[in-house]
Amino acid sequence: MDGIDPVCGMAVDPRAAPSFEQDGKRYSFCCDGCLEAFRRDPQRYSGGAATKQDAPPAKPMPGGAKATWTCPMHPQIVASAPGPCPICGMALEPGAATADSGENPELRDMSRRLWFSALLSLPLLAVAMSDAIPGDPLGGALSMRARGWLELAWATPVCLGAAWPFYVRAALSLKNRSLNMFTLIGLGVSAAYGYSVVAALVPAAFPRSFRGPSGEVAMYFETAAVIVTLVLLGQVLELRARRQTSLALQKLLGLSPKTARRVRPDGAEQDVALESVQVGDKLRVRPGEKVPIDGVVLEGRSHVDESMMTGEPAAVEKNVGDRLVGATINGRGSLVMLVDKVGAETLLSRIVASVARAQRSRAPIQNVADLVAGYFVPAVMLASGATFVVWALAGPEPRMAHALVNAIAVLIIACPCALGLATPMSIMVAMGKGASIGVLFRDAQAIEVLRKVDTLVVDKTGTLTEGKPTLQGIVAGPGHRESEILRLSASLERGSEHPLGVAIVQRAAEEGIALASIEGFEAVPGKGVIGHVEGKPVALGNRDLLAGLGIDASTLTERADALGSKAQTVMFVAAEGRAIGLLGVADPVKESTPDALRALHAEGVRVVMLTGDSRGTAEAVAVNLAIDEVIAEVLPDQKAEVVARLQRAGHVVAMAGDGINDAPALALAHVGIAMGTGTDIAMESAGVTLVKGDLRGIVRARRLSRATMANIRQNLLFAFAYNTLGVPIAAGALYPHFGLLLGPMVAAAAMSVSSVSVIVNALRLRGARI
């Protein structure tokens, strides 16, 4: 039963859903209401009755994944087919976007129902309102009873047929004890229609309090039908507007080319379907073509437009060894690339998956709306009942008719759809906007918290710098040659993947130095590497490494400090228990880093650099970049401790890094920010990923965070104000002074307008200047 709610039969995600264990079996539930229902009567639901309601098998998606449907307001709901959310009644949406998502079946169904309802409601409204037209054109042709039968014939298909989904959702809300907008709509429409049916069939059953001055019993078929039509109109407009939130993802997905030009081992080239491309294939990217998939340049040189991924308009130069991202556009050069990622591992697929996951997450501010909504619907039902009682006791004649109409108006106008949509719609639009500018949010909490960050902790290598260090200087101790120092160091580092080691090996290759065999290679985290080169013990690393081995490096300290003052990372080389030389490796600062740090300082963010480099090297970099604080010579397992210390001091901390050793600190920070050019584990641990690895993306992300939260506050303010004003007016608060009543039809129109207004306001984020 794990994965299927035994109460309502909805598919749920066992990792995020509430669960309960009974007789050795664990059951997952879509909501707390279903969990409580199961606890009250486990025998009723533990026998697998819900399997009758189980949805049909999910349609397979490309790559073997199954299609899922989720609720934008309640992301814990995961179903295998479209339908209503059992908590709020809203239509579920596809859990993953595709390049051609097709028409939403819910939108198609609601559109058909809208047209059907409108075609019958218009003549029904004309007949019902004919007595308001001078001369009453139908007055002589139809008696009151005949008119009632005619209205009944037109209203029944609307109120029972077109409105059927509303009744189903209302019943589901009562069953799950999760009252929502459809509870109110179902009660309002059924009350108006049911009353009118009795009035048309057995008018004599009504007492004097229900009759007008001429003794007639008023009927409200047109009210019920027009309410259904207006609610359907609101649903259609809402579904269309919600569909706009996925356009950014669909646009990205549609960028991928359908074919690639494979270079065969014999040199021949052929066009193949993109789905058939495998890791290790060689592909030709001709001038002006789209890069088909992720990989690295093997041959050629060109400029590639990556603006659809990073938001940066300038084309990026690509040479041998540089990375290529699928769906970007090649310039005038011809390239041969080696494919290293396919399917879900490509950057484009990961962006789409990340944004889709983030759109389904909940922002903490949503808890406020949920808390209010939880009490709001019962309060509205009480207000509707109170309205009926007051009008029945103190209203004008016919009292009971006025009481019914105003009670229905309260139910309809107070539907909390706008309140529920206020937060998730803004979050969904913001996620799509972020993806279009190269900023990926892992969840909604990250976008809410980022604007509050006052301290940014940054790793140096790969974050402030390019992450492509080069060997700048070699210092040989007495009795040793520079070539010997380089040969021993490169031979030892051949077994390492650290960027500094790669720089040393590359320099040895450039000078044509033959590397020796090694044994017993061992990397010491945060300190360096040790091993045996040609049988001799060799160590390469910082002062702490040599101190731990009992090796005196004092004779090289002065030279090491000189290299460090030039912003070079200094590594001591030791062989057979003696320090024999130094290596100085420099990693150039990214061109965008100074601008990014200036912009962050302008926003009042304090920047702290955290690095394992020596203090001299770190301070030389910090002086050039005007960094506020430097914490140097930090071991990998100490980075999280630094973040925790800053948090204990009361700071809202963001951590930016790109390496495996940054992952714990990224996960601990209030907001972890990973470079898209870094390791996968760093990106998985972070709340925000900068696709291009450009720190200016943090500034954009903070601006988007502020704009999003301002948009949410606007939506919540509008929703609260609408309901605060709408309910008293619908109840008749203005009638004693102005003689003004807000009928159910006007209430239905106002309710639909409020929901659509919230959505339209959220969609404004797509055009925000970030």
Side-chain angles (χ1 to χ4, degrees), residues 72-247:
M73 288 169 57
H74 299 92
Q76 69 270 30
I77 300 299
V78 180
S80 56
C85 171
I87 299 177
C88 65
M90 288 178 59
L92 300 181
E93 296 183 337
T98 60
D100 183 15
S101 296
E103 186 179 3
N104 186 332
E106 182 78 13
L107 175 58
R108 184 171 59 248
D109 178 64
M110 288 293 178
S111 297
R112 285 200 301 259
R113 292 177 183 276
L114 171 61
W115 284 109
F116 176 76
S117 179
L119 288 175
L120 291 178
S121 296
L122 287 175
L124 172 61
L125 185 62
V127 170
M129 298 297 179
S130 63
D131 55 354
I133 301 175
D136 188 6
L138 295 179
L142 293 174
S143 65
M144 190 68 181
R145 188 169 181 80
R147 182 182 299 182
W149 282 96
L150 180 61
E151 292 179 10
L152 173 63
W154 271 330
T156 297
V158 175
C159 296
L160 296 185
W164 184 251
F166 303 154
Y167 299 132
V168 172
R169 297 177 188 188
L172 190 60
S173 73
L174 295 173
K175 174 183 175 182
N176 293 332
R177 296 187 179 182
S178 179
L179 305 181
N180 54 51
M181 63 171 288
F182 293 103
T183 314
L184 304 181
I185 292 173
L187 287 175
V189 173
S190 59
Y193 174 74
Y195 169 87
S196 301
V197 169
V198 177
L201 298 180
V202 283
F206 289 87
R208 174 63 189 169
S209 58
F210 282 87
R211 299 177 181 274
S214 304
E216 76 283 0
V217 179
M219 291 174 285
Y220 300 101
F221 285 118
E222 82 286 357
T223 297
V226 172
I227 288 174
V228 171
T229 302
L230 290 173
V231 173
L232 285 169
L233 175 61
Q235 289 288 291
V236 169
L237 294 175
E238 177 185 315
L239 287 167
R240 286 182 177 176
R242 282 162 57 185
R243 186 174 59 179
Q244 299 298 312
T245 63
S246 63
L247 286 182

Side-chain angles (χ1 to χ4, degrees), residues 473 475 485 488-489 492-493 500 504 527-530 538-547 549 551-564 568-575 578-585 614 617 633:
V475 176
I485 301 298
L488 291 174
S489 302
L492 187 59
E493 286 286 11
L500 300 182
I504 296 169
K527 295 183 179 180
V529 294
I530 57 176
V538 177
L540 175 65
N542 57 23
R543 288 186 177 93
D544 290 342
L545 177 67
L546 269 61
L549 297 173
I551 300 174
D552 180 18
S554 58
T555 57
L556 298 173
T557 300
E558 186 176 343
R559 298 292 301 276
D561 292 341
L563 292 177
Q568 294 183 21
T569 298
V570 180
M571 291 178 284
F572 291 81
V573 184
R578 294 184 301 109
I580 63 172
L582 299 171
L583 297 178
V585 178
S614 66
T617 302
E633 300 175 0

Side-chain angles (χ1 to χ4, degrees), residues 38 47 79 99 125 141 148 202 251 253 290 315 325 339 417 427 553 640 665 718 742:
F38 184 91
L125 185 62
V202 283
K251 181 180 179 181
L253 285 167
K290 290 183 179 180
V325 177
V339 177
C417 190
I427 292 295
F718 177 81
L742 193 64

